[in-house]
Amino acid sequence: MKRVILAPAELGGAALDELKQWLAITTSHDDEALLALLGASIDMCEAFTGSMPLSATCEEVLPARTGWQCLATRPVQAITGVEGIPAEGSRFAFASDAYEIDIDADGTGQIRIARQGAAGRIAVRFVAGLAPGWGSLPEGLRHGIIRLAAQQFRDRDAAPSTTPPAAVTALWRPWRRLRIA
């Protein structure tokens, strides 16, 4: 699976203001760095919880096969398009009767190709995310993202950590999706 975020969530405005308030920053001098840290914190939140926190338009590339395939990103709100990717040549849009889509109650998006034509792979476009915007993100997730971004800003000269601190994971744990292997 290869995912590309075509239209990322908006992180300026309320999210940036909340982080700046947490850090007691009143100037716009560090805004670019703070936005990058917010983005990294949201990515770490998704990696920890298994759910994309904020709605974004994405695309995943999957093999073109007839059985049901699940999208890796969750929760999927809507599947908006399916294109075929041939070995040579440009992409082409699948006819609506050439595939089936389904979104389970847990937000798992699924697709099944009925007629693949020349496609060796497919590109599935969709919208995924727990909340449409920063203000509607659950408090624990939002606060954990802010705390992580703030810690990364304060410790920017230290060696980077690959795991979030315990105080952040405690906030995110209620939204964690576990998989039984």
Side-chain angles (χ1 to χ4, degrees):
M1 182 279 309
K2 177 183 171 188
R3 179 182 79 185
V4 176
I5 297 178
L6 303 173
E10 174 59 40
L11 293 180
L16 181 60
D17 290 345
E18 193 171 335
L19 178 57
K20 288 171 76 171
Q21 182 180 13
W22 182 265
L23 291 167
I25 295 175
T26 57
T27 66
S28 61
H29 178 71
D30 293 315
D31 284 3
E32 189 175 320
L34 293 173
L35 285 171
L37 291 172
L38 277 170
S41 297
I42 286 173
D43 290 346
M44 192 169 278
C45 178
E46 180 182 359
F48 183 83
T49 63
S51 296
M52 181 177 273
L54 294 171
S55 289
T57 302
C58 306
E59 179 179 89
E60 286 185 21
V61 175
L62 303 169
R65 54 181 199 226
T66 57
W68 283 103
Q69 299 181 77
C70 294
L71 297 172
T73 306
R74 290 183 180 83
V76 173
Q77 303 299 323
I79 295 175
T80 59
V82 180
E83 293 180 325
I85 304 173
E88 292 184 21
S90 56
R91 290 182 176 197
F92 60 92
F94 271 102
S96 60
D97 63 344
Y99 63 91
E100 293 179 66
I101 58 173
D102 184 39
I103 300 174
D104 290 344
D106 69 349
T108 302
Q110 299 180 67
I111 185 162
R112 178 171 64 181
I113 302 299
R115 295 185 320 274
Q116 73 185 58
R121 296 178 298 149
I122 56 171
V124 183
R125 288 192 180 173
F126 57 94
V127 176
L130 288 170
W134 184 257
S136 57
L137 194 62
E139 185 70 27
L141 291 176
R142 193 171 79 230
H143 190 64
I145 290 166
I146 291 296
R147 286 183 70 127
L148 181 59
Q151 178 189 358
Q152 290 172 336
F153 183 77
R154 288 183 185 130
D155 296 341
R156 60 189 174 270
D157 294 329
S161 175
T162 59
T163 59
V168 172
T169 60
L171 291 165
W172 291 346
R173 195 165 287 119
W175 287 274
R176 191 169 197 183
R177 295 176 52 95
L178 298 176
R179 291 183 291 260
I180 298 174

